[in-house]
Amino acid sequence: MDPFMQAAIDEARKGYDAGGVPIGSVLVHQGVIIGRGHNQRQQRGSATLHGEMDALEDAGRLAAHVYREAVLYTTLSPCVMCSGAILLHGIPEIVIGENSTFQGEETLLRQRGVTLTVYDNPQCKALMERFIAERPEIWYEDIGEPGT
């Protein structure tokens, strides 16, 4: 298992254990994790604190070149908000744990030159499927109702 994806999965489990959406993320620069986070919308009553956003916040304010040299690992395909942050900061590469429960803005990211690798990781899938089955109201609050 890729140790950086494992770190993102560990973050997702923290979110799940705290009653939130189990999406985790780590930001890696030159082989070192510089930011880590998990979805905390429910835990903090936040409108924007997705896993990717939490990892970026944890990394703190960085020089532009650091983002342009970084890789973001996330357990689930990034939504439009997180994809916007990825593009804003110029992060060139995203490693995605799975995209079968939700396929975010992958087309947009690819069109804008971001390299995407999708692992189709069974741990990521199982955690999301379990959460969606247990707490569909929280999932749909976070991601939007089906068909919207």
Side-chain angles (χ1 to χ4, degrees), residues 4 15 20 23 26 38-39 51 66 82 98 100 114 117 121 126 128 132 134-135 137 140 142-143 147:
F4 300 125
I23 301 169
V26 295
H38 54 275
N39 187 303
V66 175
C82 296
E98 68 102 351
S100 61
V114 178
T117 302
N121 181 285
M128 281 307 303
I132 293 168
E134 292 173 351
R135 306 289 305 273
E137 73 285 358
Y140 292 123
D142 194 48
I143 211 65

Side-chain angles (χ1 to χ4, degrees), residues 25 32 35 77 87 96 98 103-104 127 141-142:
S25 187
V32 176
S77 185
L87 295 172
I96 300 167
E98 68 102 351
Q103 188 166 22
L127 194 55
E141 172 193 321
D142 194 48

Side-chain angles (χ1 to χ4, degrees), residues 3-24:
F4 300 125
M5 182 53 67
Q6 185 59 59
I9 292 169
D10 293 344
E11 286 293 323
R13 286 192 178 120
K14 285 182 191 175
Y16 178 84
D17 291 345
V21 181
I23 301 169

Side-chain angles (χ1 to χ4, degrees), residues 50-117:
H50 285 190
E52 299 90 341
M53 303 299 275
D54 194 31
L56 288 169
E57 185 67 20
D58 183 57
R61 188 174 172 196
L62 302 170
H65 76 90
V66 175
Y67 295 111
R68 290 191 304 264
E69 298 167 356
V71 179
L72 184 72
Y73 288 75
T74 183
T75 57
L76 187 66
S77 185
C79 74
V80 67
M81 175 182 67
C82 296
S83 294
I86 289 162
L87 295 172
L88 176 69
H89 293 296
I91 298 169
E93 185 177 354
I94 312 300
V95 179
I96 300 167
E98 68 102 351
N99 64 0
S100 61
T101 56
F102 176 76
Q103 188 166 22
E105 297 298 317
E106 293 179 22
T107 300
L108 171 65
L109 291 166
R110 283 190 179 101
Q111 287 172 342
R112 297 286 297 271
V114 178
T115 300
L116 303 181
T117 302

